């Protein structure tokens, strides 16, 4: 068995009370192979704040279970404002860039449009202040356009 991509990619935003939920889903057929052992994973981003990557504890064995549960379910997750320079923030977000890379496969970038648009706005802010950055965003997605279509066309429906 070899590791495979994502079982499910979902996106949500917080409500006015700061809470977020994901709708129930499944069952999903498991792909051939196995999922990485830190799933499910949460990526939390709010401009001006430290991003968070939360995942289950690492196991030495691949998780072959068909039922997945987040260790973060029902817990309060605090987001902290980023304290530092623009360059330091860009460096901090480069780790988010790495986490997003695996989501982009199999056209899954279409399932996180608000995140990619928020990251585009962050890139624009960096550019405005001459801060170098490395971020996947709505304006740059390495993808197979033959399979997934054009990102530019896809994001037109999200623009005002």
């Amino acid at each position: 068995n070899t590791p495979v991509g994502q079982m499910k990619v979902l996106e949500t935003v917080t409500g006015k009370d700061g809470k977020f939920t994901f709708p129930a889903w499944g069952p999903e057929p498991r792909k051939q192979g196995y999922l990485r052992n830190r799933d499910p994973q949460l990526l939390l981003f709010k401009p001006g704040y430290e991003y968070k990557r939360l995942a289950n504890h690492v196991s030495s064995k691949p998780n072959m279970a068909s039922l997945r549960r987040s260790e973060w379910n029902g817990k309060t997750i605090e987001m902290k404002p980023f304290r530092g320079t623009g360059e330091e923030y860009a460096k901090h977000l480069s780790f988010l860039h790495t986490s997003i890379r695996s989501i982009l496969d199999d056209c899954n970038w279409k399932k996180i449009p608000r995140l990619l648009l928020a990251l585009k706005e962050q890139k624009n802010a960096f550019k405005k202040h001459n801060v170098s950055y490395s971020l996947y965003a709505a304006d740059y997605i390495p993808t197979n356009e033959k399979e997934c279509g054009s990102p530019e066309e896809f994001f037109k429906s999200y623009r005002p």
Side-chain angles (χ1 to χ4, degrees):
N1 272 344
T2 58
V4 295
Q6 312 296 320
M7 177 180 271
K8 190 75 161 177
V9 175
L10 301 170
E11 179 180 66
T12 192
V13 295
T14 59
K16 290 181 182 184
D17 60 1
K19 294 181 181 182
F20 67 91
T21 60
F22 291 100
W25 60 273
E28 290 276 327
R30 190 167 57 89
K31 296 177 182 180
Q32 283 298 101
Y34 65 90
L35 297 171
R36 303 238 181 247
N37 58 6
R38 290 178 54 95
D39 61 315
Q41 173 179 245
L42 301 173
L43 297 177
L44 308 174
F45 174 72
K46 180 177 180 177
Y49 283 72
E50 295 177 14
Y51 97 91
K52 290 207 180 252
R53 178 183 176 274
L54 305 171
N56 291 347
H57 287 91
V58 177
S59 170
S60 60
K61 296 179 185 173
N63 184 348
M64 302 302 278
S66 58
L67 180 62
R68 305 302 171 106
R69 186 165 186 85
S70 173
E71 294 172 5
W72 297 95
N73 189 30
K75 293 183 179 175
T76 298
I77 303 166
E78 183 181 350
M79 297 287 290
K80 295 179 182 177
F82 186 84
R83 304 279 185 230
T85 66
E87 288 78 12
E88 290 167 335
Y89 193 44
K91 184 176 181 179
H92 171 74
L93 292 181
S94 70
F95 295 102
L96 174 60
H97 175 86
T98 303
S99 295
I100 289 174
R101 179 63 192 112
S102 64
I103 297 172
L104 300 180
D105 296 338
D106 302 325
C107 309
N108 281 323
W109 54 268
K110 290 182 172 184
K111 297 174 183 171
I112 55 169
R114 292 176 285 204
L115 172 60
L116 294 171
L117 287 167
L119 289 172
K120 181 180 179 190
E121 291 301 315
Q122 184 62 61
K123 283 174 69 170
N124 290 341
F126 284 151
K127 191 181 288 187
K128 183 178 175 182
H129 294 98
N130 296 316
V131 173
S132 62
Y133 54 84
S134 179
L135 289 174
Y136 292 119
D139 60 344
Y140 175 68
I141 300 170
T143 188
N144 181 341
E145 287 196 26
K146 196 172 193 177
E147 281 183 36
C148 303
S150 161
E152 185 177 333
E153 287 299 313
F154 176 79
F155 284 106
K156 278 183 182 178
S157 64
Y158 287 90
R159 293 194 177 100

